[in-house]
Amino acid sequence: MATANKQQLAVLKRGADAWNNWRADHPETELCLAGSDVKDIDLAGANLRGANLLGTNLLRVNLQGANLEAADLRRCNFREANLTGANLRNAQLYRANMNRAILTDADLQGANLYRAYVSRATLRNTNLRGTDLGLATLVSSDMDGVKLSGARVYGISVWDMKGEPADQADLVITPDERSDITTDNLKMAQFVYLLLNNEEIRNVLDTVGRKSVLILGRFSPERKKVLDALRGALRKMDFVPMMFDFEGADTKDFTETVKILAGMCKFVIVDITSPKSSPLELQATVPDYKIPFVPVIQEDEEPFSMFANLQEYPWMLDLLEYENAEQLVDVIEKAVIQPAMIKSDQINLQKAGIIRKRHAKDYY
């Protein structure tokens, strides 16, 4: 690796004004500051265009409004640096550490941030159009208003991203050597990448869609055996039961949680026994998902008053009464699973636009 030019480094450490004056007097001089340590200095407005700063320590440096266009910034340490409004167009930032850096209003269009570390950073209104963010880490970063169109985001990590990007069009989710696949949402890009590159995840999602059954209800200690019996019976029949207990649910998050779980399942079993069952919660869920709901209730109990309205939806099956958990398990295949699977097939036909037909000869 090239070593820093001692004369240039000495000038740089005197600050941005001294550096810019020297640069104006030496416009054709090749700039080499590689491997140097210039942490904690003020370089706001410095003209470092095209400079070789490979591996330089720029910890907490003020580079506000600086010109780093086309600079070699590979493996640089920009941790906690202030790059507000800086020009980093077409800069090389391979494996650069920009964790906790401030990049508000910075321009990185066309820059190479492959495998860069940009976690807990501030990228508000930052221009990242056409950048290579392949395998970059942007965990918990503020990306509100960031412009991303045309960026390569193959393998990017954006967990706990804050804010909403302003421009997410044509994000490339494949590596250089493959044909481009694009999407228009950064979080979706991360998910699609996982699907494309992990057969196990694809298999899990396929299993979830075909075999998962959501069980809803309020399972107080005395009714816990109903839950256990249902889960045990479903497991024996090669289903994957998931349970959501109304009893411990946070009202704020309930509807969203149930919608997510229901959308993943083949059908839903909902026990509405006990007056504590939540009509409002079910009314907020059932209308939105065309999947079979199988309502069950212990005999001698009455459903909540608005339940009849939910039965207007064709994917809500007839209410099944049962004496006890043992009886419910005995009939689960014929009274629960088979009707749910038939209803699921009917719903799929409707979604596919297949017309149901009869013929007069069937009635002779």
Side-chain angles (χ1 to χ4, degrees):
M1 182 178 76
T3 57
N5 181 294
K6 291 182 180 180
Q7 180 190 6
Q8 294 177 14
L9 180 57
V11 175
L12 186 68
K13 287 185 175 181
R14 287 161 50 195
D17 289 341
W19 173 262
N20 288 343
N21 289 333
W22 180 89
R23 185 80 191 268
D25 293 336
H26 303 81
E28 303 300 325
T29 301
E30 185 176 333
L31 304 179
C32 186
L33 298 156
S36 56
D37 186 350
V38 291
K39 64 183 179 183
D40 294 314
I41 67 173
D42 188 352
L43 292 173
N47 180 8
L48 291 158
R49 187 178 187 277
N52 179 358
L53 289 149
L54 173 66
T56 296
N57 183 13
L58 293 150
L59 175 70
R60 294 186 297 272
V61 169
N62 181 11
L63 286 159
Q64 191 167 359
N67 184 359
L68 292 151
E69 184 175 0
D72 186 349
L73 307 171
R74 292 173 295 163
R75 299 184 185 273
C76 277
N77 180 16
F78 286 101
R79 185 178 176 86
E80 299 180 28
N82 184 355
L83 290 145
T84 301
N87 177 7
L88 292 98
R89 282 193 165 221
N90 302 309
Q92 295 298 314
L93 287 150
Y94 169 78
R95 284 193 180 275
N97 181 355
M98 307 183 89
N99 291 337
R100 298 185 183 276
I102 301 172
L103 291 147
T104 301
D105 295 319
D107 187 354
L108 287 88
Q109 184 162 333
N112 178 10
L113 289 117
Y114 185 75
R115 290 188 179 273
Y117 306 98
V118 201
S119 293
R120 294 179 173 84
T122 303
L123 297 105
R124 297 178 70 87
N125 304 314
T126 302
N127 181 9
L128 293 172
R129 291 189 176 111
T131 56
D132 186 348
L133 290 161
L135 301 178
T137 304
L138 292 93
V139 175
S140 300
S141 288
D142 184 350
M143 301 182 69
D144 195 53
V146 71
K147 303 167 188 69
L148 279 164
S149 63
R152 187 175 297 276
V153 294
Y154 166 76
I156 194 172
S157 179
V158 288
W159 306 113
D160 298 324
M161 179 183 78
K162 297 176 177 62
E164 187 67 24
D167 181 358
Q168 306 180 69
D170 300 321
L171 301 178
V172 183
I173 63 173
T174 43
D176 286 334
E177 63 271 16
R178 295 189 191 174
S179 299
D180 287 353
I181 298 175
T182 62
T183 185
D184 291 343
N185 182 279
L186 186 58
K187 291 181 178 179
M188 179 62 72
Q190 182 173 244
F191 177 67
V192 174
Y193 163 77
L194 291 174
L195 288 181
L196 292 174
N197 292 277
N198 292 272
E199 184 177 354
E200 290 182 2
I201 292 179
R202 294 198 298 272
N203 291 339
V204 166
L205 290 176
D206 183 58
T207 298
V208 166
R210 291 185 296 108
K211 296 187 176 181
S212 290
V213 177
L214 179 60
I215 304 170
L216 301 177
R218 291 187 182 272
F219 297 100
S220 54
E222 65 272 14
R223 295 195 49 74
K224 185 71 163 56
K225 63 181 180 180
V226 176
L227 166 64
D228 292 336
L230 282 171
R231 286 198 297 196
L234 288 166
R235 286 171 182 151
K236 288 179 181 178
M237 303 180 76
D238 202 30
F239 285 96
V240 181
M242 295 190 290
M243 185 274 290
F244 190 90
D245 187 351
F246 291 170
E247 194 68 38
D250 182 341
T251 303
K252 177 182 176 183
D253 298 327
F254 174 85
T255 301
E256 188 64 26
T257 301
V258 172
K259 283 183 176 182
I260 291 170
L261 294 175
M264 296 167 59
C265 291
K266 189 71 173 177
F267 61 91
V268 178
I269 301 173
V270 53
D271 191 326
I272 61 172
T273 304
S274 150
K276 291 177 67 179
S277 292
S278 303
L280 294 178
E281 294 162 341
L282 281 178
Q283 284 176 321
T285 308
V286 172
D288 293 336
Y289 281 87
K290 285 188 176 183
I291 60 171
F293 281 76
V294 185
V296 299
I297 190 170
Q298 192 161 6
E299 65 178 3
D300 300 325
E301 292 275 354
E302 290 295 326
F304 54 84
S305 59
M306 302 295 288
F307 178 73
N309 293 341
L310 294 178
Q311 288 193 307
E312 294 177 2
Y313 296 96
W315 47 90
M316 176 66 77
L317 275 67
D318 293 345
L319 183 59
L320 175 65
E321 295 182 318
Y322 63 92
E323 292 180 8
N324 50 48
E326 291 76 16
Q327 185 187 53
L328 184 58
V329 169
D330 286 342
V331 301
I332 190 169
E333 183 172 4
K334 291 184 178 180
V336 176
I337 294 174
Q338 288 182 7
M341 298 300 282
I342 291 171
K343 180 61 68 175
S344 179
D345 290 342
Q346 292 173 349
I347 293 170
N348 288 336
L349 287 175
Q350 290 177 344
K351 290 179 179 178
I354 297 175
I355 299 172
R356 300 191 306 274
K357 296 179 180 180
R358 297 182 296 159
H359 197 284
K361 67 181 180 183
D362 297 331
Y363 296 92
Y364 282 108

Short mmCIF file of all heavy atoms in Angstrom, two decimals, residues 233-270:
data_model
loop_
_atom_site.label_atom_id
_atom_site.label_comp_id
_atom_site.label_asym_id
_atom_site.label_seq_id
_atom_site.Cartn_x
_atom_site.Cartn_y
_atom_site.Cartn_z
N ALA A 233 -53.63 -32.44 18.35
CA ALA A 233 -54.32 -33.11 17.25
C ALA A 233 -53.81 -32.61 15.90
O ALA A 233 -53.61 -33.39 14.96
CB ALA A 233 -55.82 -32.89 17.37
N LEU A 234 -53.59 -31.31 15.78
CA LEU A 234 -53.11 -30.75 14.52
C LEU A 234 -51.70 -31.25 14.21
O LEU A 234 -51.37 -31.54 13.05
CB LEU A 234 -53.13 -29.23 14.59
CG LEU A 234 -54.52 -28.58 14.54
CD1 LEU A 234 -54.46 -27.13 14.96
CD2 LEU A 234 -55.14 -28.70 13.15
N ARG A 235 -50.86 -31.34 15.21
CA ARG A 235 -49.50 -31.84 14.99
C ARG A 235 -49.51 -33.28 14.48
O ARG A 235 -48.73 -33.65 13.59
CB ARG A 235 -48.70 -31.75 16.29
CG ARG A 235 -48.28 -30.33 16.65
CD ARG A 235 -47.69 -30.28 18.04
NE ARG A 235 -47.32 -28.92 18.43
CZ ARG A 235 -47.30 -28.49 19.67
NH1 ARG A 235 -47.65 -29.31 20.66
NH2 ARG A 235 -46.94 -27.25 19.94
N LYS A 236 -50.38 -34.09 15.06
CA LYS A 236 -50.46 -35.49 14.63
C LYS A 236 -50.89 -35.60 13.17
O LYS A 236 -50.58 -36.60 12.50
CB LYS A 236 -51.44 -36.26 15.52
CG LYS A 236 -50.92 -36.52 16.94
CD LYS A 236 -51.94 -37.26 17.78
CE LYS A 236 -51.43 -37.50 19.19
NZ LYS A 236 -52.43 -38.18 20.05
N MET A 237 -51.60 -34.59 12.69
CA MET A 237 -52.07 -34.61 11.31
C MET A 237 -51.14 -33.81 10.39
O MET A 237 -51.51 -33.41 9.30
CB MET A 237 -53.49 -34.07 11.24
CG MET A 237 -54.45 -34.85 12.14
SD MET A 237 -56.14 -34.25 12.09
CE MET A 237 -56.65 -34.91 10.53
N ASP A 238 -49.92 -33.57 10.87
CA ASP A 238 -48.85 -32.95 10.08
C ASP A 238 -49.11 -31.48 9.76
O ASP A 238 -48.59 -30.94 8.79
CB ASP A 238 -48.62 -33.74 8.78
CG ASP A 238 -47.23 -33.49 8.21
OD1 ASP A 238 -46.31 -33.22 9.01
OD2 ASP A 238 -47.05 -33.55 6.98
N PHE A 239 -49.89 -30.80 10.61
CA PHE A 239 -50.04 -29.36 10.50
C PHE A 239 -49.08 -28.69 11.48
O PHE A 239 -48.55 -29.33 12.40
CB PHE A 239 -51.48 -28.93 10.79
CG PHE A 239 -52.45 -29.23 9.67
CD1 PHE A 239 -53.22 -30.37 9.69
CD2 PHE A 239 -52.58 -28.35 8.60
CE1 PHE A 239 -54.10 -30.66 8.67
CE2 PHE A 239 -53.46 -28.63 7.56
CZ PHE A 239 -54.21 -29.78 7.59
N VAL A 240 -48.86 -27.39 11.27
CA VAL A 240 -47.98 -26.62 12.15
C VAL A 240 -48.84 -25.58 12.86
O VAL A 240 -49.14 -24.51 12.31
CB VAL A 240 -46.86 -25.92 11.35
CG1 VAL A 240 -45.94 -25.13 12.30
CG2 VAL A 240 -46.06 -26.94 10.56
N PRO A 241 -49.28 -25.87 14.10
CA PRO A 241 -50.15 -24.93 14.80
C PRO A 241 -49.40 -23.73 15.36
O PRO A 241 -48.28 -23.84 15.86
CB PRO A 241 -50.73 -25.78 15.94
CG PRO A 241 -49.72 -26.84 16.19
CD PRO A 241 -49.06 -27.11 14.86
N MET A 242 -50.03 -22.54 15.23
CA MET A 242 -49.54 -21.33 15.89
C MET A 242 -50.67 -20.80 16.75
O MET A 242 -51.83 -20.80 16.33
CB MET A 242 -49.13 -20.27 14.86
CG MET A 242 -47.95 -20.68 14.00
SD MET A 242 -47.31 -19.30 12.99
CE MET A 242 -48.65 -19.07 11.83
N MET A 243 -50.36 -20.35 17.94
CA MET A 243 -51.39 -19.91 18.87
C MET A 243 -51.23 -18.44 19.19
O MET A 243 -50.13 -17.94 19.38
CB MET A 243 -51.31 -20.75 20.15
CG MET A 243 -52.43 -20.47 21.15
SD MET A 243 -52.10 -19.08 22.28
CE MET A 243 -50.81 -19.76 23.29
N PHE A 244 -52.36 -17.72 19.22
CA PHE A 244 -52.37 -16.34 19.69
C PHE A 244 -53.44 -16.24 20.76
O PHE A 244 -54.62 -16.45 20.51
CB PHE A 244 -52.66 -15.36 18.57
CG PHE A 244 -52.44 -13.93 18.97
CD1 PHE A 244 -51.19 -13.34 18.81
CD2 PHE A 244 -53.46 -13.17 19.53
CE1 PHE A 244 -50.97 -12.03 19.18
CE2 PHE A 244 -53.24 -11.86 19.91
CZ PHE A 244 -52.00 -11.28 19.74
N ASP A 245 -53.01 -15.92 21.98
CA ASP A 245 -53.90 -15.89 23.13
C ASP A 245 -54.41 -14.46 23.34
O ASP A 245 -53.64 -13.56 23.63
CB ASP A 245 -53.13 -16.38 24.37
CG ASP A 245 -54.02 -16.53 25.59
OD1 ASP A 245 -55.19 -16.10 25.53
OD2 ASP A 245 -53.55 -17.07 26.60
N PHE A 246 -55.71 -14.26 23.18
CA PHE A 246 -56.30 -12.94 23.41
C PHE A 246 -56.02 -12.45 24.83
O PHE A 246 -55.94 -11.26 25.08
CB PHE A 246 -57.83 -12.99 23.24
CG PHE A 246 -58.28 -13.21 21.82
CD1 PHE A 246 -59.62 -13.47 21.56
CD2 PHE A 246 -57.40 -13.14 20.77
CE1 PHE A 246 -60.06 -13.67 20.26
CE2 PHE A 246 -57.82 -13.34 19.47
CZ PHE A 246 -59.16 -13.60 19.23
N GLU A 247 -55.90 -13.40 25.76
CA GLU A 247 -55.82 -13.04 27.17
C GLU A 247 -54.66 -12.11 27.47
O GLU A 247 -54.78 -11.17 28.23
CB GLU A 247 -55.68 -14.32 28.02
CG GLU A 247 -55.91 -14.12 29.51
CD GLU A 247 -57.36 -13.79 29.84
OE1 GLU A 247 -58.26 -14.37 29.19
OE2 GLU A 247 -57.57 -12.95 30.72
N GLY A 248 -53.50 -12.38 26.85
CA GLY A 248 -52.33 -11.57 27.14
C GLY A 248 -52.02 -10.54 26.08
O GLY A 248 -50.94 -9.97 26.07
N ALA A 249 -52.95 -10.29 25.17
CA ALA A 249 -52.67 -9.43 24.03
C ALA A 249 -52.69 -7.96 24.41
O ALA A 249 -53.53 -7.51 25.19
CB ALA A 249 -53.69 -9.68 22.92
N ASP A 250 -51.77 -7.21 23.86
CA ASP A 250 -51.76 -5.76 23.95
C ASP A 250 -52.71 -5.24 22.86
O ASP A 250 -52.52 -5.48 21.68
CB ASP A 250 -50.34 -5.25 23.69
CG ASP A 250 -50.24 -3.74 23.81
OD1 ASP A 250 -51.29 -3.06 23.73
OD2 ASP A 250 -49.11 -3.25 23.97
N THR A 251 -53.77 -4.54 23.29
CA THR A 251 -54.79 -4.09 22.34
C THR A 251 -54.19 -3.29 21.20
O THR A 251 -54.60 -3.41 20.04
CB THR A 251 -55.83 -3.23 23.07
OG1 THR A 251 -56.38 -3.99 24.14
CG2 THR A 251 -56.95 -2.80 22.12
N LYS A 252 -53.16 -2.52 21.49
CA LYS A 252 -52.53 -1.67 20.47
C LYS A 252 -51.98 -2.50 19.32
O LYS A 252 -52.09 -2.12 18.16
CB LYS A 252 -51.42 -0.85 21.12
CG LYS A 252 -50.64 0.02 20.15
CD LYS A 252 -49.53 0.75 20.87
CE LYS A 252 -48.68 1.54 19.90
NZ LYS A 252 -47.55 2.21 20.58
N ASP A 253 -51.34 -3.64 19.65
CA ASP A 253 -50.66 -4.42 18.62
C ASP A 253 -51.48 -5.62 18.15
O ASP A 253 -51.04 -6.34 17.26
CB ASP A 253 -49.32 -4.93 19.17
CG ASP A 253 -48.39 -3.79 19.53
OD1 ASP A 253 -48.47 -2.77 18.84
OD2 ASP A 253 -47.62 -3.92 20.49
N PHE A 254 -52.66 -5.83 18.73
CA PHE A 254 -53.38 -7.07 18.47
C PHE A 254 -53.73 -7.26 17.01
O PHE A 254 -53.41 -8.29 16.41
CB PHE A 254 -54.66 -7.12 19.31
CG PHE A 254 -55.52 -8.31 18.99
CD1 PHE A 254 -55.28 -9.52 19.59
CD2 PHE A 254 -56.52 -8.22 18.05
CE1 PHE A 254 -56.04 -10.63 19.26
CE2 PHE A 254 -57.28 -9.32 17.72
CZ PHE A 254 -57.05 -10.52 18.34
N THR A 255 -54.41 -6.28 16.44
CA THR A 255 -54.91 -6.44 15.08
C THR A 255 -53.78 -6.71 14.09
O THR A 255 -53.88 -7.60 13.25
CB THR A 255 -55.70 -5.19 14.65
OG1 THR A 255 -56.79 -4.99 15.56
CG2 THR A 255 -56.22 -5.34 13.24
N GLU A 256 -52.71 -5.95 14.19
CA GLU A 256 -51.60 -6.12 13.25
C GLU A 256 -50.97 -7.50 13.41
O GLU A 256 -50.64 -8.16 12.42
CB GLU A 256 -50.56 -5.04 13.48
CG GLU A 256 -49.46 -5.01 12.44
CD GLU A 256 -49.97 -4.67 11.05
OE1 GLU A 256 -51.02 -4.00 10.94
OE2 GLU A 256 -49.34 -5.09 10.06
N THR A 257 -50.82 -7.95 14.66
CA THR A 257 -50.22 -9.27 14.91
C THR A 257 -51.07 -10.38 14.31
O THR A 257 -50.58 -11.28 13.64
CB THR A 257 -50.05 -9.50 16.42
OG1 THR A 257 -49.21 -8.47 16.96
CG2 THR A 257 -49.41 -10.86 16.69
N VAL A 258 -52.37 -10.33 14.56
CA VAL A 258 -53.26 -11.37 14.05
C VAL A 258 -53.29 -11.35 12.53
O VAL A 258 -53.29 -12.41 11.88
CB VAL A 258 -54.68 -11.21 14.63
CG1 VAL A 258 -55.65 -12.16 13.95
CG2 VAL A 258 -54.67 -11.49 16.12
N LYS A 259 -53.30 -10.17 11.92
CA LYS A 259 -53.31 -10.09 10.46
C LYS A 259 -52.05 -10.73 9.87
O LYS A 259 -52.12 -11.45 8.86
CB LYS A 259 -53.42 -8.63 10.02
CG LYS A 259 -54.82 -8.06 10.15
CD LYS A 259 -54.87 -6.63 9.62
CE LYS A 259 -56.28 -6.07 9.65
NZ LYS A 259 -56.35 -4.71 9.10
N ILE A 260 -50.92 -10.46 10.48
CA ILE A 260 -49.67 -11.04 9.98
C ILE A 260 -49.71 -12.56 10.07
O ILE A 260 -49.40 -13.28 9.12
CB ILE A 260 -48.46 -10.49 10.75
CG1 ILE A 260 -48.26 -9.01 10.42
CG2 ILE A 260 -47.20 -11.28 10.42
CD1 ILE A 260 -47.24 -8.31 11.30
N LEU A 261 -50.13 -13.06 11.23
CA LEU A 261 -50.18 -14.51 11.44
C LEU A 261 -51.23 -15.16 10.54
O LEU A 261 -50.98 -16.20 9.93
CB LEU A 261 -50.46 -14.83 12.91
CG LEU A 261 -49.37 -14.43 13.91
CD1 LEU A 261 -49.85 -14.69 15.34
CD2 LEU A 261 -48.09 -15.19 13.65
N ALA A 262 -52.40 -14.54 10.46
CA ALA A 262 -53.48 -15.11 9.64
C ALA A 262 -53.08 -15.18 8.17
O ALA A 262 -53.39 -16.16 7.48
CB ALA A 262 -54.76 -14.30 9.81
N GLY A 263 -52.39 -14.13 7.70
CA GLY A 263 -51.98 -14.11 6.30
C GLY A 263 -51.00 -15.19 5.94
O GLY A 263 -50.81 -15.50 4.75
N MET A 264 -50.37 -15.81 6.94
CA MET A 264 -49.38 -16.86 6.69
C MET A 264 -50.00 -18.25 6.73
O MET A 264 -49.32 -19.22 6.39
CB MET A 264 -48.28 -16.78 7.76
CG MET A 264 -47.46 -15.51 7.72
SD MET A 264 -46.44 -15.31 9.21
CE MET A 264 -45.44 -16.79 9.14
N CYS A 265 -51.26 -18.36 7.15
CA CYS A 265 -51.83 -19.68 7.48
C CYS A 265 -52.80 -20.21 6.44
O CYS A 265 -53.37 -19.47 5.65
CB CYS A 265 -52.52 -19.60 8.84
SG CYS A 265 -51.36 -19.37 10.20
N LYS A 266 -52.98 -21.52 6.49
CA LYS A 266 -53.94 -22.20 5.62
C LYS A 266 -55.36 -21.91 6.08
O LYS A 266 -56.24 -21.66 5.27
CB LYS A 266 -53.67 -23.71 5.64
CG LYS A 266 -54.48 -24.51 4.63
CD LYS A 266 -53.98 -24.24 3.23
CE LYS A 266 -54.66 -25.16 2.21
NZ LYS A 266 -54.22 -24.84 0.83
N PHE A 267 -55.59 -21.96 7.39
CA PHE A 267 -56.89 -21.59 7.95
C PHE A 267 -56.71 -21.23 9.42
O PHE A 267 -55.64 -21.38 10.00
CB PHE A 267 -57.94 -22.70 7.77
CG PHE A 267 -57.62 -24.01 8.43
CD1 PHE A 267 -58.02 -24.30 9.73
CD2 PHE A 267 -56.93 -25.00 7.73
CE1 PHE A 267 -57.74 -25.52 10.32
CE2 PHE A 267 -56.64 -26.23 8.31
CZ PHE A 267 -57.04 -26.49 9.61
N VAL A 268 -57.79 -20.69 10.01
CA VAL A 268 -57.76 -20.21 11.39
C VAL A 268 -58.86 -20.90 12.17
O VAL A 268 -60.00 -21.01 11.71
CB VAL A 268 -57.98 -18.68 11.45
CG1 VAL A 268 -58.00 -18.18 12.90
CG2 VAL A 268 -56.92 -17.95 10.63
N ILE A 269 -58.51 -21.38 13.37
CA ILE A 269 -59.50 -21.89 14.32
C ILE A 269 -59.64 -20.85 15.42
O ILE A 269 -58.65 -20.45 16.03
CB ILE A 269 -59.07 -23.24 14.93
CG1 ILE A 269 -58.87 -24.29 13.84
CG2 ILE A 269 -60.11 -23.72 15.95
CD1 ILE A 269 -58.29 -25.60 14.36
N VAL A 270 -60.87 -20.38 15.66
CA VAL A 270 -61.08 -19.37 16.70
C VAL A 270 -62.10 -19.88 17.71
O VAL A 270 -63.23 -20.22 17.36
CB VAL A 270 -61.52 -18.02 16.08
CG1 VAL A 270 -62.72 -18.18 15.17
CG2 VAL A 270 -61.78 -17.00 17.16
#
